[in-house]
Amino acid sequence: MSIILTPPGIATVNVAARDAQKEYTIMMKRRSFFLILSALVAAGLFAGGTAETTECAAGERTIEHFAGTTCIPAEPQRIVTTHDQNALLPLLELGIRPIGSAALVLDDGTSRFRRVDEYDTSDIAFVGAYGAPSLEAIAALGPDLIVVQQFDIEIYEELSRIAPTVLVRIFDRPLTEALLQFGEVTGTTPQARASATAYDERIDALRAALTDSFDEITVSVIVPGNNPGEFYNGALGQAIGTVMEDVGLNRPAPERSADDTRVYWTVETLSEHDADAMLVIDFSGDGDADPVLEAFVTSPLFTSLAVSQAGQVHIIDGSATVGTAWGKMDSFLDELEGIVLDPDFDTAVVD
Amino acid sequence: MSGISPTTGGGTSRFLRRRAYLLPGLLIGTATLGVLLVASIMLGAAEISPATVLEALAEFDETSFDHLVIRTVRLPRVASGVIVGASLAVAGAVMQGLTQNPLASPGILGINAGAAFAVVLGVYILGSPPLAAYAILAMIGAAAAAIVVYGLASTGRDGATPLRLTLAGVIVTTFIAAFTTAVLVTDQDTLDQIRFWTVGSLAGREWSLLLWTAPYMIAGVLCSFLLSRQITTISLGRDVAAGLGQNTTLVRGLSAVAVLFSAGGAVALAGPIGFVGLVAPHMVRFIVGTDYRWIVPYSAVAGALIVVGGDAAARLIIRPQELPVGVMMGMVGAPFFVYLARRKAHG
């Protein structure tokens, strides 16, 4: 559900925003390690001669993935994931129930699987904080397959000693490709393809519905930064970025980067993001009010934008629209359709 | 006036003779600062013409985005830079005079770290403290750090020598950093607000916080101006000052309060911007010598120049992104610190 912005009465929360920021920080720090280590892992696999001619035992099949080629059980029964929203979530969506997963560790020491509220996760064991899962806890569960996202490549070799490990690349490619690979890994390709087909049909329908006004519409998607006076592109990769790319609506010039690297802009440049509709992603989901987001959208600079004056700023719940799942892309499409197909939507806010 | 300056008598005439070029020098410095302020208001990520800038200042139109950028982003930022730079530099000058330690500054002696930690702790405990609380928290933290540093340096027979003070400052800064990290890893919500107070930045500073912190900084700087004659005397050595009949305990106490007000207010507003308090007084000594009646006002102008100039550079180097000015100061100040330390080591 989107909320037409009526400052200052904006109900927002900030825990997930912090998660997203923390995760992004971890991501950036690891990017260099990631490239080096992926080269090393690839080199190691090739040196061992296993990459090209992997022969699997009976009851196994080969999977080509980001870290190489691995033999995995034909029908894995005891899957452990090392990330909640980027590994546990896509498996749950495919009807697979992992036996354990890493999660966000909260301030009070408890843990939470993020963005999976619609699923019962009560019997899924916690195996440590995402980014630094406990190898002992994973080994203790006796998994027959470990599914990890790309930033866990640092511990890929250790995980591989516990069980066959598949590393799925989430970033720097359309999310649809990653989601199809999760289907391939878990032997649920038909379900994944069905979701992909349904998604493609929605995209086509939206584009068709916009035929007459397509070129006239500009949509900005931004997120306030943690520090006052800054914001960043809210549609880099993942669910929102993939949908925005597939729909193909115009974006303000600074938001048209094909690079997934996050750049923080100062609010001085906010007018460059003026658009017919502005979607401000609120990564809070649940928790306390987020003073940064509220200060951002109620600042004189923000409220002076043409899109603010036109009442076409929408606060989008990031917890419902961000995450590695067809459902998250569907949720964002719901939001986008509700905005751009609204008969009252003014497509002439900016030229 | 309780103290007798070593520059009274013959000193006064020297003072007046030097004033023949020092006063114009100060005015030139102030004028340069004025030019830099105008340039700083004109430069930024958004390209705004000088004419529009003047319009925003003279005939503000609250519906104009460019005018709002000038009024709500750049002006408070530049004003914060001036007052923070002046305060930190004056605090550094006073500390160097009081301790007769060329390496003394709010950053080196743990004052900034203590102030920043107190603010962080306040955010951790209170969530979002009222704006009025930031400067008070910072000053309490600064005072606690100063007491611990001085106490630590004073143990032993030699007392608080410059080297011992510096080492104690490093130890306390490191110690406080450990606690800051502890808060950082235990509270995700505080973490995001802490980032600001770990590097020092003028970005996003609003008029409201400036108004709540400026009175402390102004009071601290003015107090330092008033004490500058006595600080000159103390800078010659406690024995000399006592011999000249100066109530050194009172002067040192008042000066310490001035430092806490200046540095505490600055940290509450902009976070711990290091090295300004170290670099600015040393720069001005090349021009004005050892008389704190000139060092203090010159330091105020130099500090403002350094911070406003550094912040302008920080905004332009990776435009349209920005670096925190605290990072810029570290890049410039750390080599200067090494230079000073080496010069000191070689006598």
Side-chain angles (χ1 to χ4, degrees):
Chain A
M1 183 187 71
S2 69
I3 306 165
I4 299 292
L5 181 64
T6 50
I10 297 165
T12 58
V13 276
N14 70 357
V15 171
R18 314 301 184 207
D19 303 347
Q21 295 283 2
K22 180 181 172 188
E23 189 169 348
Y24 185 74
T25 305
I26 292 169
M27 183 182 91
M28 294 308 290
K29 284 179 180 173
R30 291 182 174 178
R31 185 161 276 192
S32 54
F33 283 114
F34 164 64
L35 291 171
I36 295 166
L37 282 171
S38 52
L40 290 174
V41 169
L45 290 173
F46 280 111
T50 57
E52 291 171 340
T53 56
T54 303
E55 289 185 11
C56 299
E60 291 187 338
R61 59 194 169 96
T62 57
I63 281 284
E64 287 185 21
H65 58 98
F66 195 62
T69 303
T70 304
C71 292
I72 66 170
E75 294 181 3
Q77 302 297 316
R78 299 181 61 78
I79 302 175
V80 169
T81 61
T82 62
H83 201 277
D84 44 10
Q85 65 172 3
N86 287 334
L88 173 63
L89 170 61
L91 297 196
L92 289 171
E93 192 178 46
L94 288 165
I96 305 295
R97 292 195 66 76
I99 57 169
S101 178
L104 169 71
V105 177
L106 299 166
D107 298 341
D108 61 6
T110 60
S111 61
R112 181 163 67 90
F113 298 124
R114 295 167 302 162
R115 318 264 163 90
V116 296
D117 292 348
E118 62 266 48
Y119 302 99
D120 176 14
T121 56
S122 56
D123 61 342
I124 298 175
F126 167 66
V127 297
Y130 75 81
S134 164
L135 298 176
E136 285 186 21
I138 294 172
L141 290 175
D144 61 1
L145 176 65
I146 301 172
V147 179
V148 304
Q149 69 147 346
Q150 65 200 64
F151 299 121
D152 286 322
I153 196 163
E154 289 173 42
I155 53 170
Y156 179 80
E157 286 195 32
E158 288 88 339
L159 291 169
S160 295
R161 288 190 206 110
I162 297 171
T165 302
V166 172
L167 200 147
V168 179
R169 182 157 65 98
I170 304 292
F171 301 96
D172 300 310
R173 65 169 172 172
L175 192 64
T176 46
E177 292 180 14
L179 289 169
L180 286 169
Q181 188 168 28
F182 279 110
E184 182 191 1
V185 169
T186 54
T188 55
T189 294
Q191 291 95 312
R193 291 218 173 277
S195 297
T197 303
Y199 168 76
D200 289 342
E201 287 172 357
R202 283 199 71 177
I203 294 289
D204 291 343
L206 177 56
R207 287 176 60 89
L210 290 171
T211 303
D212 295 337
S213 55
F214 200 84
D215 293 335
E216 300 167 14
I217 300 174
T218 303
V219 177
S220 168
V221 188
I222 59 172
V223 187
N226 273 328
N227 293 315
E230 67 181 25
F231 65 103
Y232 62 89
N233 193 339
L236 290 172
Q238 300 199 75
I240 295 176
T242 300
V243 170
M244 287 300 293
E245 186 69 23
D246 289 344
V247 175
L249 286 167
N250 291 324
R251 305 278 307 279
E255 298 177 29
R256 288 182 206 142
S257 169
D259 189 350
D260 270 8
T261 306
R262 184 181 299 174
V263 173
Y264 286 92
W265 297 300
T266 113
V267 288
E268 286 196 11
T269 63
L270 199 52
S271 62
E272 296 173 26
H273 298 260
D274 216 344
D276 296 313
M278 180 173 279
L279 281 53
V280 181
I281 309 299
D282 167 18
F283 278 109
S284 25
D286 47 16
D288 303 321
D290 182 355
V292 173
L293 183 127
E294 186 161 340
F296 180 77
V297 296
T298 56
S299 69
L301 281 177
F302 190 91
T303 54
S304 75
L305 295 175
V307 69
S308 296
Q309 301 285 323
Q312 295 195 157
V313 172
H314 302 264
I315 307 296
I316 304 294
D317 177 5
S319 67
T321 55
V322 175
T324 302
W326 300 101
K328 301 299 181 189
M329 294 199 291
D330 271 340
S331 295
F332 184 69
L333 269 167
D334 291 342
E335 300 277 10
L336 195 60
E337 284 175 353
I339 294 164
V340 297
L341 297 182
D342 185 336
D344 295 330
F345 180 52
D346 181 358
T347 60
V349 175
V350 295
D351 296 332
Chain B
M1 195 71 74
S2 62
I4 302 170
S5 164
T7 53
T8 50
T12 301
S13 60
R14 279 201 304 278
F15 175 77
L16 290 173
R17 280 201 303 277
R18 296 190 75 179
R19 196 164 64 176
Y21 72 87
L22 287 179
L23 189 58
L26 189 61
L27 294 175
I28 290 169
T30 308
T32 308
L33 178 61
V35 171
L36 185 61
L37 291 183
V38 173
S40 189
I41 291 169
M42 294 206 173
L43 298 172
E47 291 187 10
I48 301 174
S49 70
T52 308
V53 172
L54 293 175
E55 267 178 31
L57 297 176
E59 295 175 31
F60 176 55
D61 173 6
E62 63 182 15
T63 63
S64 160
F65 186 86
D66 286 349
H67 285 202
L68 284 165
V69 167
I70 300 298
R71 285 291 188 111
T72 67
V73 178
R74 293 190 190 170
L75 267 182
R77 183 171 189 153
V78 168
S80 299
V82 170
I83 196 160
V84 164
S87 299
L88 289 173
V90 167
V94 171
M95 290 174 76
Q96 288 164 18
L98 278 190
T99 62
Q100 297 139 53
N101 179 358
L103 299 179
S105 76
I108 305 290
L109 295 194
I111 306 278
N112 285 356
F117 177 67
V119 174
V120 164
L121 201 59
V123 171
Y124 175 62
I125 294 170
L126 302 173
S128 294
L131 292 177
Y134 281 72
I136 294 167
L137 283 168
M139 283 187 290
I140 292 171
I147 290 167
V148 172
V149 167
Y150 195 78
L152 205 58
S154 300
T155 56
R157 280 176 300 182
D158 298 334
T161 62
L163 179 62
R164 292 170 68 94
L165 268 173
T166 307
L167 287 176
V170 170
I171 290 166
V172 169
T173 300
T174 310
F175 187 67
I176 291 171
F179 278 93
T180 305
T181 306
V183 174
L184 193 138
V185 297
T186 54
D187 187 351
Q188 188 71 35
D189 282 349
T190 309
L191 162 67
D192 300 313
Q193 298 179 60
I194 279 175
R195 283 199 194 107
F196 176 81
W197 278 287
T198 53
V199 289
S201 170
L202 297 173
R205 298 297 83 192
E206 293 179 0
W207 287 114
S208 50
L209 187 56
L210 178 61
L211 294 176
W212 278 109
T213 51
Y216 298 101
M217 289 184 271
I218 291 168
V221 170
L222 285 179
C223 190
S224 302
F225 283 153
L226 296 174
L227 290 166
S228 56
R229 176 191 292 266
Q230 286 75 19
I231 294 168
T232 306
T233 312
I234 285 184
S235 71
L236 300 174
R238 295 184 77 168
D239 296 342
V240 174
L244 291 168
Q246 181 162 291
N247 183 346
T248 58
T249 305
L250 178 64
V251 173
R252 292 166 77 89
L254 289 173
S255 301
V257 171
V259 166
L260 295 181
F261 271 50
S262 309
V267 173
L269 178 59
I273 300 175
F275 296 110
V276 183
L278 177 74
V279 173
H282 281 282
M283 283 171 58
V284 304
R285 279 199 192 88
F286 286 121
I287 303 168
V288 305
T290 57
D291 188 340
Y292 278 79
R293 288 172 297 179
W294 290 110
I295 289 175
V296 170
Y298 263 81
S299 291
V301 174
L305 275 169
I306 290 170
V307 171
V308 173
D311 186 53
R315 276 186 284 158
L316 298 173
I317 284 177
I318 54 169
R319 190 175 170 182
Q321 296 183 75
E322 297 178 346
L323 280 173
V325 68
V327 173
M328 287 293 293
M329 290 299 108
M331 290 175 183
V332 177
F336 191 80
F337 177 76
V338 172
Y339 160 74
L340 276 182
R342 285 181 63 85
R343 202 173 70 156
K344 177 74 180 164
H346 292 100

